[in-house]
Amino acid sequence: KAGVTQTPRYLIKTRGQQVTLSCSPISGHRSVSWYQQTPGQGLQFLFEYFSETQRNKGNFPGRFSGRQFSNSRSEMNVSTLELGDSALYLCASSLRGNYGYTFGSGTRLTVV
Amino acid sequence: DQQVKQNSPSLSVQEGRISILNCDYTNSMFDYFLWYKKYPAEGPTFLISISSIKDKNEDGRFTVFLNKSAKHLSLHIVPSQPGDSAVYFCAASVDAGGTSYGKLTFGQGTILTVHP
């Protein structure tokens, strides 16, 4: 079966702009989590969605938001981009939010 | 506050020998632990996990040991192969009625290099 698909793979944005990243989970998976990976902070949890509802949220500012659609596809949005938002953004899906998380290959965001 | 720590940034071993990757945690609420492997330009791939009710779990060449009193876990790879060269992350979670609600807390990773 197809894995977790993240688009785009690479993105370059200017400081102050906003960006939307997309994640298509494995078919049948209803839980989608997002993580930010940076060299300094490692992998950090952003938020989790299950059946279109945000169930959990990490310690990120309100500029980071997300949503999930009825087909379980998810998007995350970052507004007013800062240089420090440059990172690899990873999406992971699971059947119901238990431990069988499968990660996508990520979207590499560069803010200039 | 780094709740999950991998104190060795890198580890180098010879092919065929044992690789031991270590991980310490501080949050006593963590009750489920996982190891992921990551290649450059790819997402992490799940390797093996262990619940806090166990102290050992094996899957082929991979064994994870959990010492709850020391808040320490380790991943043993025997025998190590060059294809095992990657970054290894340990992660921890709090089980809330059978779900972690998506939140895994990761260590900083250890770069494993297996030399032929």
Side-chain angles (χ1 to χ4, degrees):
Chain A
K1 55 182 178 182
V4 178
T5 303
Q6 292 189 245
T7 56
R9 287 296 308 272
Y10 302 93
L11 206 48
I12 300 175
K13 288 286 188 178
T14 304
R15 194 171 42 182
Q17 287 185 314
Q18 75 163 14
V19 67
T20 299
L21 311 181
S22 179
C23 173
S24 293
I26 289 173
S27 179
H29 283 193
R30 295 165 64 191
S31 169
V32 174
S33 298
W34 289 88
Y35 289 82
Q36 181 196 64
Q37 185 183 19
T38 59
Q41 298 296 320
L43 276 152
Q44 292 192 294
F45 173 75
L46 279 156
F47 29 65
E48 187 250 10
Y49 286 86
F50 182 83
S51 293
E52 301 178 66
T53 300
Q54 185 183 89
R55 294 197 301 184
N56 205 351
K57 190 176 187 302
N59 296 324
F60 279 82
R63 300 184 298 105
F64 292 81
S65 63
R67 60 178 175 168
Q68 187 180 34
F69 302 95
S70 58
N71 62 358
S72 293
R73 190 178 70 85
S74 178
E75 289 181 348
M76 68 162 282
N77 183 277
V78 188
S79 62
T80 320
L81 283 165
E82 300 177 358
L83 296 179
D85 297 333
S86 295
L88 179 67
Y89 289 88
L90 291 159
C91 163
S93 78
S94 144
L95 200 59
R96 60 177 181 89
N98 54 7
Y99 306 105
Y101 280 97
T102 301
F103 281 83
S105 297
T107 293
R108 171 72 64 184
L109 171 65
T110 303
V111 182
V112 298
Chain B
D1 175 30
Q2 193 78 27
Q3 297 187 63
V4 177
K5 297 180 185 178
Q6 293 176 255
N7 291 317
S8 298
S10 63
L11 175 68
S12 181
V13 301
Q14 208 65 33
E15 181 179 6
R17 306 294 291 269
I18 184 172
S19 295
I20 300 176
L21 298 112
N22 294 302
C23 180
D24 296 297
Y25 61 96
T26 57
N27 188 343
S28 57
M29 297 295 291
F30 287 144
D31 53 10
Y32 201 85
F33 305 89
L34 309 91
W35 283 94
Y36 282 84
K37 172 180 173 180
K38 187 179 185 300
Y39 294 114
E42 294 183 15
T45 302
F46 170 76
L47 274 176
I48 192 168
S49 62
I50 187 167
S51 163
S52 60
I53 63 173
K54 294 185 174 182
D55 52 21
K56 178 182 173 181
N57 189 27
E58 283 182 86
D59 184 2
R61 295 187 297 115
F62 302 92
T63 303
V64 57
F65 295 91
L66 175 63
N67 182 333
K68 289 185 289 295
S69 60
K71 294 191 177 67
H72 177 84
L73 66 153
S74 61
L75 174 68
H76 292 209
I77 306 173
V78 184
S80 301
Q81 300 172 354
D84 296 330
S85 297
V87 181
Y88 288 76
F89 291 94
C90 68
S93 181
V94 176
D95 188 311
T99 178
S100 64
Y101 293 107
K103 184 175 181 178
L104 300 175
T105 302
F106 284 87
Q108 294 286 83
T110 297
I111 302 170
L112 173 66
T113 304
V114 181
H115 299 283

